[in-house]
Amino acid sequence: MQDKIWLSSPHLSGKELFYVNDAFEKNWVTSIGENIDGFEQDLKQYLGNNHELVVLNSATSAIHLALVMLNVTQDDEVLTSTFSFVASANPITYCGATPVFVDSEKETWNMCPKVLQEAIEDRIEKGKKPKAIIVVHLYGMPAKMEEINEVATKYNIPVIEDAAEALGSKYKKQACGTLGRFGILSFNGNKIITTSGGGALVCHTKEDKDKAVFLSTQARDNAPHYQHSHVGYNYRMSNIVAGIGRGQMEVLPDRIEARRKMHEFYVELFSGINGVDVFSEPTPDYYSNHWLSAIIIDPEITGRNREELRLALLENNIESRPLWKPMHLQPVFADAPYYGENVAEELFNNGLCLPSGSNLSDKDRERIANVIKNFFN
């Protein structure tokens, strides 16, 4: 059996060890230390110095904190993309609120601004104005943020920008994660850079950052004894994990370039295959990090479907994966409201994510290409 080709495996550089060892040598192995401050500063400089960062133990924690800071509570409603990983929706339930799922549009596969407005108007008519909107940048592709923000502003609903998959992506030259009231980043093991696990909350003010740090460290009041006037959470990133992040930040531009080259590889590979579309930026306003390269297969044109291709790749020890199954089709959210025309469902039925890691070799690409060419021929 040939070595496994993964969909998106961690890609460490070796630079991480310097910062991790420094944490050990200085005995800063808790949720405070130079690496935490340094990682936040590195991210701040990368996204733009007019933002503040709070590094946490996961992007899911960051979404939950953003909802808490927007006062989302029991029986509230939060609009979110149906076409996403479950971590975009789960934190809504942590607050006792109800997710309301919004369909995608076909250009970016992200939340459709028109359906968003329809959903808001209908929820208001039903007597329940949504408390927040969570927009996801799917697979690194920026959503139509200008239109979405216009709708959100019209109804005075704050936007949480889930850029967990989109570090390094830009919309109209502005970094994803900085386009909403709060932004979310992920450093999970499969992301474009990793801290093994972790995330960050992007804020626009020092006041918001300080509040997020307070809440993420058990909301301890300023007293010599342990005193708590608010419910807090154990969400802060550790200094060791942040050290991995500092090392990864040094190679982030290289990782983005490598992912984008994988996208170009697939564009060229499928250029001669009718009925297969590679997920790409619709206009120059969009700059995707192409965290995952994905395709849509038209079975009527190709005579094949995405599940057959997935199994053919698997037979050759190559991992691929169907696109996200929409949240409104998940058993856990069967009773949640949904608005749309099943664009996300069609994408799920016909789409496949292909190996996209920044550490794939020319030999790996040759194996992938041979399987795909043989499959369609």
Side-chain angles (χ1 to χ4, degrees), residues 39-309:
F39 190 25
E40 290 178 342
Q41 188 62 34
D42 291 343
L43 288 164
K44 179 176 179 177
Q45 290 178 355
Y46 184 81
L47 295 177
N49 283 322
N50 55 331
H51 302 95
E52 298 289 343
L53 274 294
V54 182
V55 292
L56 304 164
N57 60 9
S58 72
T60 309
S61 300
I63 295 174
H64 185 208
L65 275 188
L67 291 169
V68 169
M69 293 174 68
L70 292 175
N71 298 313
V72 174
T73 58
Q74 190 76 29
D75 298 327
D76 284 334
E77 291 186 349
V78 176
L79 296 155
T80 189
S81 307
T82 190
F83 199 34
S84 178
F85 181 51
V86 72
S88 301
N90 274 341
I92 299 170
T93 68
Y94 303 166
C95 299
T98 298
V100 177
F101 295 112
V102 178
D103 201 4
S104 301
E105 37 79 13
K106 294 181 179 180
E107 287 189 315
T108 74
W109 299 1
N110 294 307
M111 181 181 283
C112 177
K114 292 180 181 178
V115 177
L116 173 64
Q117 177 155 332
E118 293 170 5
I120 293 172
E121 291 176 350
D122 189 61
R123 300 321 290 176
I124 291 174
E125 188 175 326
K126 287 178 166 62
K128 184 74 77 169
K129 180 182 175 181
K131 201 73 170 286
I133 300 167
I134 300 176
V135 180
V136 183
H137 299 305
L138 204 70
Y139 304 123
M141 185 66 68
K144 295 185 174 182
M145 289 305 298
E146 185 174 350
E147 296 172 51
I148 289 169
N149 279 332
E150 284 178 2
V151 174
T153 300
K154 178 179 179 180
Y155 296 96
N156 194 29
I157 302 174
V159 172
I160 298 170
E161 187 190 359
D162 185 350
E165 303 170 7
L167 180 60
S169 299
K170 297 179 181 179
Y171 175 75
K172 294 190 174 181
K173 299 184 178 180
Q174 187 171 342
C176 288
T178 67
L179 297 154
R181 175 69 172 79
F182 291 105
I184 312 297
L185 302 176
S186 173
F187 312 114
N188 192 31
N190 62 359
K191 294 302 187 290
I192 199 153
I193 61 169
T194 183
T195 58
S196 74
L201 180 67
V202 184
C203 306
H204 290 279
T205 67
K206 183 67 163 51
E207 181 182 4
D208 278 346
K209 172 177 178 169
D210 290 343
K211 184 176 181 181
V213 171
F214 171 72
L215 291 172
S216 68
T217 52
Q218 299 290 19
R220 180 184 174 187
D221 293 340
N222 185 17
H225 52 277
Y226 288 97
Q227 178 167 302
H228 307 272
S229 304
H230 300 82
V231 173
Y233 310 91
N234 188 17
Y235 284 171
R236 198 69 159 123
M237 181 179 283
S238 84
N239 196 50
I240 295 173
V241 169
I244 301 174
R246 293 185 76 183
Q248 287 273 280
M249 286 299 293
E250 294 186 20
V251 295
L252 175 57
D254 296 334
R255 300 295 185 259
I256 295 170
E257 182 181 2
R259 299 268 177 166
R260 287 178 59 82
K261 284 185 176 179
M262 280 305 301
H263 170 260
E264 293 169 7
F265 161 77
Y266 287 119
V267 169
E268 182 177 350
L269 177 61
F270 287 105
S271 61
I273 302 176
N274 291 329
V276 179
D277 292 322
V278 180
F279 185 35
S280 302
E281 293 95 332
T283 74
D285 285 340
Y286 301 83
Y287 179 89
S288 174
N289 64 13
H290 290 295
W291 168 60
L292 289 186
S293 291
I295 57 172
I296 295 295
I297 301 174
D298 187 332
E300 294 186 2
I301 296 176
T302 63
R304 312 301 298 270
N305 61 47
R306 62 101 161 135
E307 185 61 11
E308 291 171 336
L309 176 56

